[in-house]
Amino acid sequence: TKEVSDIKKVIEAMHDARPSLVKPAPHPQISVPIVAVSNHTDGVVVDFEKQPGVVIATKIHGPAHIKQLVQSMCLLRAAYNSRTQYDVIIFVTEPLSHNDTTELESVIQPAKLTIAQDEKTLEEHVNDLNEEQRHDLITRCNVTSAQELFWWTRCCEYGIKGNCMPLSYSWQSEFRSLHIWESTHLKPYKYMLWFDSDAFPTKVWEQDPVAVAIRHDLNILFDNFPQGSSAGTDLREKIKEAYHGTLCQLKLENGHLKAEGGNCVKPRIPNIHGFFHITNLDFYRNDENLNWSRIMIGNHKFSRRWDDQLAVTVPAAMRAPDKSWDMNTNNVTLEVYHNSFYDGHVRWRGGGGFQHWWRQYSDERFKEGRAQCNDWIRNGG
């Protein structure tokens, strides 16, 4: 349609104006009305008006990542949350100092900030493992006893070259795969905007992704798909055990996921990118989907074989593909910088990381961020 064509031209012109961006093949665009419409529980959903039951969340290991987090949260406030003022929950493994917390509050206010520290230490986690789990962990971490394990111990996966990660990183993945959905801190909320601490907005958002998710009763609205994939005959068996069906193919069609089952022996499932998405918490914490997360993890505690991206992808594919939308193909273009990409799929070629982008472009493209956050820009992403 002419409307779709005009939207494509605007997006392409915006990208073409940035010589430092390298465009991939464009996704097909569809036209979704971003308007205020009736909602069966919340009345009218209006962009950038605070909606009930919404929280912004992220997780860091501890004080070593505080500068990156402060930078991210300040930019997110300038881009979006200064208008909606949603509560913010920061999950942490190691305690933050009073100064760290005060610094975070200064860039999040007037929104409410909650610091949610893990309930268990690494030693307590390991002590809670059964014999099979403990043996699996000690073997993968190449140590002789559990007493040799520390958060920065690098542990590998069987038969997967180069997939060795610190326990701190693997715990982040496991936490986001299962434990976050069970968190008491999230019980008062229905929708969660997850934002990785190394995700950095680059402009004031012109679309409200939370309003889009609520307005269309979505279970997940994600910024990028696909991001990597997961494969294995054991993956097929885990999905069958959890959902009594198979998942053989998964793709994006008309702006949402389309899943197909079948007789595949070793499926390869493309994953939803985990760095930024809005999720319906009631969907992911229902009994069936929590059971999937437990089955996925199995006895491989602190493992990166199956991670949080697969954990959110499979429930969406198996139970609600039509309620699982991609931002880009639904005309929600926010240009969030993460790992040298905008929105997960448009590469930044300027070099020097986010700090270089900031010095070169922020004064022109993100004046609000420049005014509020310049003193906090200390991480290159």
Side-chain angles (χ1 to χ4, degrees):
T1 65
K2 183 178 185 303
E3 179 185 1
V4 174
S5 177
D6 290 344
I7 290 170
K8 284 186 67 177
K9 288 178 180 178
V10 169
I11 293 173
E12 290 172 356
M14 177 180 64
H15 287 166
D16 288 340
R18 299 185 174 199
S20 53
L21 299 185
V22 174
K23 296 184 295 180
H27 294 294
Q29 296 292 317
I30 66 173
S31 179
V32 174
I34 308 300
V35 297
V37 297
S38 295
N39 180 286
H40 68 284
T41 57
D42 298 327
V44 175
V45 179
V46 178
D47 283 359
F48 306 110
E49 282 192 7
K50 187 174 185 177
Q51 303 300 320
V54 178
V55 66
I56 294 171
T58 193
K59 191 177 196 308
I60 60 171
H61 184 75
H65 302 93
I66 194 68
K67 291 182 179 180
Q68 173 178 280
L69 175 62
V70 168
Q71 175 175 310
S72 175
M73 289 294 105
C74 185
L75 294 170
L76 182 59
R77 181 182 66 176
Y80 178 63
N81 206 41
S82 60
R83 289 169 283 176
T84 54
Q85 297 183 21
Y86 289 128
D87 295 351
V88 177
I89 297 179
I90 308 298
F91 293 96
V92 300
T93 299
E94 295 183 337
L96 301 182
S97 69
H98 174 74
N99 288 342
D100 289 341
T101 302
T102 300
E103 191 173 33
L104 268 175
E105 288 174 338
S106 72
V107 299
I108 288 173
Q109 63 183 358
K112 176 186 175 184
L113 171 64
T114 298
I115 305 296
Q117 187 174 341
D118 291 351
E119 296 179 356
K120 295 180 181 180
T121 64
L122 176 59
E123 182 180 8
E124 289 169 333
H125 278 298
V126 173
N127 288 340
D128 286 345
L129 300 180
N130 61 39
E131 185 175 347
E132 181 179 352
Q133 291 172 327
R134 189 178 293 109
H135 175 74
D136 174 81
L137 183 62
I138 289 172
T139 302
R140 287 191 293 111
C141 297
N142 195 29
V143 296
T144 58
S145 71
Q147 287 69 37
E148 298 175 58
L149 295 174
F150 301 92
W151 280 121
W152 306 113
T153 301
R154 296 183 70 86
C155 304
C156 304
E157 304 297 334
Y158 301 121
I160 304 177
K161 292 183 178 180
N163 198 4
C164 301
M165 295 290 178
L167 285 175
S168 59
Y169 191 83
S170 299
W171 166 241
Q172 292 267 87
S173 175
E174 182 180 322
F175 178 88
R176 293 175 56 184
S177 297
L178 170 63
H179 308 291
I180 191 169
W181 313 119
E182 301 176 309
S183 170
T184 57
H185 294 282
L186 292 179
K187 282 188 176 180
Y189 304 100
K190 181 176 180 179
Y191 293 95
M192 176 179 69
L193 187 161
W194 178 271
F195 207 70
D196 274 7
S197 65
D198 59 348
F200 307 129
T202 64
K203 69 174 186 177
V204 173
W205 292 358
E206 298 169 0
Q207 300 99 10
D208 183 345
V210 170
V212 173
I214 297 175
R215 184 178 297 128
H216 297 281
D217 192 27
L218 304 183
N219 287 327
I220 187 167
L221 175 65
F222 44 86
D223 198 22
N224 186 42
F225 176 89
Q227 177 64 22
S229 60
S230 304
T233 55
D234 48 348
L235 175 57
R236 178 180 185 272
E237 296 308 311
K238 287 176 181 289
I239 294 173
K240 283 186 65 177
E241 182 181 352
Y243 293 104
H244 309 290
T246 58
L247 179 60
C248 295
Q249 295 187 37
L250 184 64
K251 61 182 179 180
L252 203 62
E253 185 172 285
N254 294 325
H256 63 78
L257 295 182
K258 182 179 180 182
E260 295 182 9
N263 296 318
C264 51
V265 175
K266 188 178 180 180
R268 179 170 293 277
I269 308 303
N271 291 330
I272 291 171
H273 204 163
F275 82 102
F276 172 31
H277 46 55
I278 292 95
T279 49
N280 182 326
L281 292 168
D282 289 345
F283 174 74
Y284 279 99
R285 61 192 171 199
N286 72 36
D287 289 342
E288 183 180 42
N289 292 331
L290 284 177
N291 185 51
W292 150 251
S293 293
R294 296 187 186 102
I295 290 170
M296 186 196 80
I297 295 169
N299 279 322
H300 299 292
K301 298 282 288 182
F302 299 101
S303 172
R304 283 282 294 169
R305 171 81 191 282
W306 314 119
D307 68 5
D308 53 280
Q309 296 190 148
L310 179 66
V312 299
T313 300
V314 170
M318 295 299 292
R319 290 295 178 255
D322 59 328
K323 293 292 186 180
S324 306
W325 287 18
D326 168 69
M327 292 186 194
N328 184 60
T329 49
N330 285 285
N331 305 320
V332 180
T333 305
L334 304 178
E335 297 186 30
V336 175
Y337 180 103
H338 178 258
N339 288 346
S340 298
F341 285 85
Y342 291 93
D343 294 331
H345 61 271
V346 180
R347 179 174 285 279
W348 155 253
R349 290 287 193 183
F354 183 77
Q355 287 177 309
H356 179 71
W357 181 94
W358 185 260
R359 290 189 297 269
Q360 189 169 354
Y361 293 114
S362 63
D363 197 41
E364 173 189 353
R365 299 176 181 172
F366 196 9
K367 295 182 185 300
E368 293 82 359
R370 184 82 178 187
Q372 297 177 39
C373 305
N374 194 54
D375 291 344
W376 309 110
I377 305 303
R378 300 171 291 189
N379 187 277

